[in-house]
Amino acid sequence: MSVSATPHPVAQPGVPLRVLSYNVHGQRDDTAALATVVREAAPDVVIVQEGPRRFRWREKSAALAESFGLVVAAGGLPSLGNLVLTSLRVRVTATRCRRFPLTPGRHLRGAAYADCRVGASARFTVAGSHLSTDPAERPGQAELFKRDLTAAPHPVIAAADLNEEPGGPAWRTVADGLTDAAVAADRTDRLTYSCADPRRRIDALFVDARIVVVDYDVVDTPLTRRASDHFPVLVDLLLPAAA
C-alpha cells in the first residue's frame, strides 16, 4: 500500500474510507516524523492509542490532531488516552468513552467510540482501545470492549493495541464475528511491534462483515521507525452506502 496522498483505491461499489490505527507511544519519540507519517498516509480516520490523557489533555489532543491535519472526534482523558481523529470529510454524530475497571497496581485503560457518517448514507461506528499488558486483566477488558462493539448502532470499525497476538483469549473475544483486516488482505505476516525488533502482531483492525477490506498494510519505513515504538496499521475500506 502506498502511503502517499493518492486517491483511495476502489475495488467495487461502495464508499471509500481510509483508516489508520496508531499507538503513538505517548508522543515520546520523533513527533515531526509522527506527523509526517500520518499526513503522508492521508487517512479519513485515525484511531490513536497512548494519546494525551493527563494535564492539558484537550489542548494536547487538539495539537496532535492539528499536526496530522485532522480534528478530534472523541476520546482523550475520559477514555484514558484513546483518541478518534477525523478529516473534515467525516461527520461525527455521537461519541462515547469507557474506562475499564482498575486493577490495583495496574495502569488505567479504556476505549473511545464515535458514530460517523460519510456522504448522505454511509454510516459507521469507530472504536479504539488499548488493552492491558497483564494476561489476567486483558480478557475482562476485551469482554467490555466487545459488549460495546456489539451494541454499536452502525457497522463497526474497531482498532486496538491488544497487547496480545492472534489466538489469545482477548484477541478471540474482540475478533468474534468481525473481519480481521490483515487476514482479509492476506497480510498476517506484517508485524506491528516493536519498531526496533518486529516480532509480534499485537495491533489489529477489525471490521463488520458488511465492510469490504480493499487494502491493508503495516507501514514500515525509516520515518515510522523514528515516530513510535509501534508501526501504524493502514487500511482502505469500502463502506456500504446504505449502512
Side-chain angles (χ1 to χ4, degrees):
M1 174 188 292
S2 170
V3 297
S4 61
T6 56
H8 300 182
V10 178
Q12 54 187 285
V15 178
L17 190 79
R18 177 168 283 187
V19 180
L20 186 77
S21 178
Y22 209 165
N23 182 323
V24 300
H25 199 208
Q27 298 171 262
R28 295 194 291 271
D29 303 295
D30 186 332
T31 55
L34 178 67
T36 300
V37 166
V38 176
R39 283 181 174 270
E40 288 186 350
D44 299 301
V45 175
V46 177
I47 304 167
V48 173
Q49 300 89 41
E50 293 195 30
R53 54 176 287 183
R54 294 184 176 89
F55 180 64
R56 295 170 56 200
W57 64 271
R58 290 183 181 86
E59 180 181 335
K60 292 175 181 177
S61 297
L64 178 65
E66 184 178 9
S67 75
F68 295 165
L70 303 170
V71 297
V72 177
L77 176 61
S79 63
L80 301 168
N82 296 286
L83 282 173
V84 177
L85 311 178
T86 64
S87 72
L88 297 181
R89 177 174 177 255
V90 177
R91 179 180 176 185
V92 178
T93 58
T95 65
R96 301 172 292 285
C97 292
R98 175 188 281 279
R99 293 189 179 192
F100 300 135
L102 174 63
T103 300
R106 306 298 301 177
H107 292 296
L108 284 163
R109 304 283 182 172
Y113 309 89
D115 299 331
C116 303
R117 189 179 78 192
V118 173
S121 61
R123 297 179 181 271
F124 58 99
T125 296
V126 178
S129 188
H130 184 185
L131 303 189
S132 175
T133 57
D134 183 354
E137 191 177 35
R138 275 197 304 273
Q141 295 176 350
E143 289 283 356
L144 292 172
F145 188 44
K146 185 64 175 182
R147 187 183 305 171
D148 293 340
L149 300 182
T150 301
H154 308 301
V156 165
I157 301 167
D161 174 355
L162 296 169
N163 270 311
E164 182 176 282
E165 294 177 83
W171 186 293
R172 292 198 306 270
T173 294
V174 176
D176 183 38
L178 299 175
T179 299
D180 182 335
V183 172
D186 195 24
R187 297 278 180 85
T188 57
D189 61 328
R190 303 305 303 271
L191 307 179
T192 67
Y193 183 82
S194 71
C195 291
D197 185 18
R199 291 173 179 256
R200 308 174 68 199
R201 184 166 79 94
I202 63 174
D203 303 272
L205 190 140
F206 305 101
V207 298
D208 184 281
R210 290 167 287 182
I211 297 173
V212 176
V213 177
V214 177
D215 201 4
Y216 169 99
D217 202 3
V218 174
V219 185
D220 180 353
T221 67
L223 277 178
T224 60
R225 287 178 178 258
R226 288 163 37 199
S228 177
D229 61 341
H230 288 246
F231 292 117
V233 173
L234 182 61
V235 183
D236 280 301
L237 304 170
L238 286 177
L239 305 172

